[in-house]
Amino acid sequence: MENFSFRGKLKNADIALTFHDVILSPGLAEVEPSEVDIRTRVSEHHPINIPFVSSPMDTVTEDQMAIALARQGGIGVIHRNCAVDEQVEMVKRVKRAEALIIRDVITVEPEQSIAEATELMKKHDISGLPVVEGGKLIGILTGRDVRFADPKLEVGALMTKQVVTAPEGVSIEEAKGVLHEHRIEKLPIVDAGGRLKGLITFKDILLRGEYPNAARDEEGKLLCAAAVSPFDLPRAKKLGEYIDMLVVDVSHFHNVRVFEAAKKILSEINADVIVGNIGTYKAAEDVITQLEGVAGLRVGVGSGSICTTAEMTKAGSPTLYAVTQVADALRNYGADIPIVADGGIRSPGDIAVALAAGASSAMMGNLFARCKEAPGALVSIGGRYYKQYRGMGSSSALAKRYSLDRYSIPSKGLPEGVEGWVPYKGEVSVVVQELAAGLRAAMGYAGAKNIRELWEKAKLVALTSVGAEEVKPHDILLPSERPAGT
Ligand code: XMP
């Protein structure tokens, strides 16, 4: 009971400053915003080109969002509020969206029917299938071959038998040359024995040119992460076969049972494992000293725009405050683990502040839920378009039950999130460009030419609540505030 006093609890209470409360102090700028480098890491082994991550929420990240965001250079975390097979299927769609060389090639055998081959093409949204027999490439069947064909015919009867191929190790430039010379769209890669080893497609080469900033793995596939409950090892293992990062997804990670469960996941999964959410120095310290192999930390408790956790329970750690707590613990222990700042981010300035506080990237639900690629429904309210957005602890999300264990046991009967609508903003690419431009400008003001410099150089200044109002537009009637009908 030493060092303990009830009065002390108030006297020594920390001030949990968060995004509303601070502003970046302008610093000497040595580079222009366009020269600012915003590349970062989201987990130990995965660099990304923009520090933006989309939340694992069922109105934010499914395959379409993950593909669109990875193409822009960020990464999406596929939500877990669905059956494991559905989640694995979404991950596979992201990993198959583009590749330098497709390794898990979808093939047909010569005795299969044209109907079956057409079905495969439709299911996987592809325009041609290598034909193999005993692993050896014997032909190729394209959309053109099957057009108007009798579906009962065998593939062997219609396939093109003279296939142009390339050996393992062919460069993309060489492959481009071959595709052009023969005016073909698919180039199977075969070994010396004629066995199919991969496939290069014209479409993938085009996409690579179209999205030069995309976040990719070493095979040129888009990076993909997925969320899993700490208590669902079988799902973690299944996802682990395909994904680059697994996010152990629970609202309060600093919990003895969760730590024990996470240990099992960490020991069985090869992919990078990000754990969270945490919000205190002590939680970070316990992760560093008790868990081996953590590759990323998701930080912030209760700041999400749809959160009612802190309101309901009076427990939480606002994201900005939480990030500084965790970042200092990491520094003091010399642990090189990237922090993802999660919850409450409304602007590129908030992202800059989160990074300045020690984060390596920012996770956003609200800002990405507004996009076309988010799964939430698009609705028209009062002549404006909105997208549905809901907390994973909201009643309707909990009703699907798969993410029930994200929240504490009492909350199973007690929602910890709300649902509603956010203004529709269009494509992810547009939102990302706005955020990236704003972030670069903020870093320019702070005088930092990359994120590491922002950690070291940026100064945060606290505002009073009156000051926080002054830094917004004021004393003007904005078009959005104009009374209806005027
Ligand atoms: P934003 O502010 O971007 O925050 O909307 C997204 C983050 O909020 C968390 N999250 C929740 N927190 N109840 C909560 O207390 C919920 O129902 C809920 N759903 C999501 C999550 O960390 C997400 O990334």
Side-chain angles (χ1 to χ4, degrees):
M1 283 285 180
E2 237 178 294
N3 296 330
F4 174 88
S5 121
F6 288 111
R7 280 175 301 160
K9 289 193 190 203
L10 291 185
K11 215 165 103 199
N12 304 324
D14 260 4
I15 294 184
L17 293 176
T18 193
F19 302 117
H20 282 282
D21 302 314
V22 299
I23 198 158
L24 275 172
S25 180
L28 173 68
E30 290 166 308
V31 295
E32 290 304 308
S34 60
E35 294 159 347
V36 168
D37 179 2
I38 56 172
R39 285 175 301 170
T40 188
R41 283 183 314 164
V42 68
S43 68
E44 199 179 337
H45 301 103
H46 293 292
I48 51 176
N49 294 321
I50 50 166
F52 309 151
V53 184
S54 65
S55 298
M57 300 171 71
D58 61 7
T59 48
V60 180
T61 315
E62 293 195 335
D63 47 326
Q64 276 194 43
M65 171 61 68
I67 291 171
L69 189 52
R71 283 182 171 157
Q72 297 303 316
I75 189 159
V77 186
I78 308 266
H79 74 85
R80 64 181 177 94
N81 204 13
C82 57
V84 57
D85 290 344
E86 283 174 62
Q87 196 185 13
V88 168
E89 214 29 65
M90 291 194 262
V91 169
K92 282 190 184 169
R93 283 201 283 270
V94 181
K95 295 306 290 179
R96 290 190 60 89
E98 39 187 281
L100 208 57
I101 299 180
I102 301 166
R103 291 291 175 187
D104 50 345
V105 186
I106 313 242
T107 59
V108 272
E109 305 221 339
E111 304 76 38
Q112 283 185 266
S113 68
I114 293 296
E116 283 174 279
T118 319
E119 194 49 44
L120 270 180
M121 289 188 202
K122 228 195 269 161
K123 180 171 168 214
H124 297 283
D125 190 24
I126 49 180
S127 61
L129 298 163
V131 186
V132 291
E133 199 166 37
K136 281 198 176 174
L137 181 77
I138 59 162
I140 192 158
L141 188 79
T142 68
R144 235 175 287 162
D145 297 326
V146 301
R147 214 179 289 155
F148 308 122
D150 177 353
K152 289 194 279 309
L153 279 179
E154 287 192 354
V155 166
L158 287 186
M159 68 186 186
T160 305
K161 295 195 177 103
Q162 301 296 322
V163 192
V164 180
T165 63
E168 284 269 33
V170 64
S171 74
I172 286 300
E173 284 315 308
E174 287 165 341
K176 261 188 192 167
V178 179
L179 290 169
H180 175 70
E181 185 188 332
H182 297 274
R183 306 288 193 273
I184 51 174
E185 305 217 329
K186 293 189 191 304
L187 183 61
I189 308 296
V190 291
D191 67 10
R195 275 177 296 270
L196 182 69
K197 290 288 163 192
L199 184 70
I200 294 179
T201 73
F202 174 69
K203 181 179 136 218
D204 285 323
I205 293 179
L206 266 190
L207 287 173
R208 221 179 150 70
E210 201 172 330
Y211 303 108
N213 206 34
R216 299 174 194 275
D217 63 18
E218 57 289 344
E219 288 183 358
K221 296 182 199 164
L222 299 174
L223 285 184
C224 184
V228 69
S229 153
F231 305 112
D232 197 348
L233 186 60
R235 183 182 289 232
K237 283 187 177 166
K238 264 202 166 160
L239 289 166
E241 291 172 33
Y242 306 98
I243 40 119
D244 304 289
M245 273 154 275
L246 197 65
V247 176
V248 175
D249 172 50
V250 63
S251 63
H252 184 39
F253 185 83
H254 197 202
N255 168 307
V256 179
R257 276 181 61 229
V258 172
F259 264 53
E260 282 316 307
K263 268 186 200 158
K264 290 205 192 88
I265 292 185
L266 283 158
S267 67
E268 303 232 11
I269 304 295
N270 283 329
D272 272 7
V273 177
I274 297 174
V275 303
N277 286 41
I278 58 167
T280 62
Y281 189 98
K282 178 73 176 120
E285 199 170 37
D286 287 349
V287 168
I288 298 163
T289 55
Q290 293 173 27
L291 297 179
E292 216 172 292
V294 169
L297 286 166
R298 187 175 167 203
V299 176
V301 179
S303 282
S305 61
I306 32 45
C307 286
T308 48
T309 301
E311 193 183 38
M312 289 276 307
T313 64
K314 270 289 170 194
S317 183
T319 301
L320 177 61
Y321 170 78
V323 168
T324 58
Q325 292 271 321
V326 173
D328 270 347
L330 293 172
R331 247 180 92 133
N332 291 345
Y333 280 86
D336 181 25
I337 306 176
I339 293 174
V340 185
D342 174 29
I345 288 170
R346 295 148 303 148
S347 69
D350 287 348
I351 299 174
V353 166
L355 298 176
S360 292
S361 65
M363 178 177 275
M364 289 157 280
N366 188 313
L367 292 186
F368 287 128
R370 301 165 180 226
C371 300
K372 183 174 154 212
E373 294 86 344
L378 180 68
V379 293
S380 162
I381 305 172
R384 295 212 168 110
Y385 283 110
Y386 294 82
K387 290 274 282 195
Q388 174 210 11
Y389 180 43
R390 67 182 181 193
M392 294 311 294
S394 63
S395 306
S396 68
L398 291 177
K400 276 193 85 183
R401 306 195 69 79
Y402 293 104
S403 64
L404 215 53
D405 58 4
R406 188 178 144 78
Y407 297 91
S408 54
I409 291 164
S411 82
K412 287 178 185 178
L414 212 65
E416 286 193 30
V418 293
E419 56 195 296
W421 301 273
V422 286
Y424 180 60
K425 283 286 263 181
E427 295 188 355
V428 165
S429 58
V430 175
V431 170
V432 163
Q433 271 158 34
E434 266 181 42
L435 291 176
L439 174 60
R440 284 200 173 91
M443 289 172 68
Y445 274 113
K449 57 176 181 286
N450 56 44
I451 292 172
R452 191 161 283 277
E453 261 196 27
L454 192 69
W455 290 349
E456 289 160 13
K457 284 190 174 175
K459 288 208 171 63
L460 295 175
V461 183
L463 295 164
T464 61
S465 53
V466 180
E469 287 308 305
E470 191 192 274
V471 296
K472 294 189 238 168
H474 51 89
D475 301 311
I476 177 170
L477 180 70
L478 296 170
S480 57
E481 296 162 355
R482 220 171 122 166
T486 61

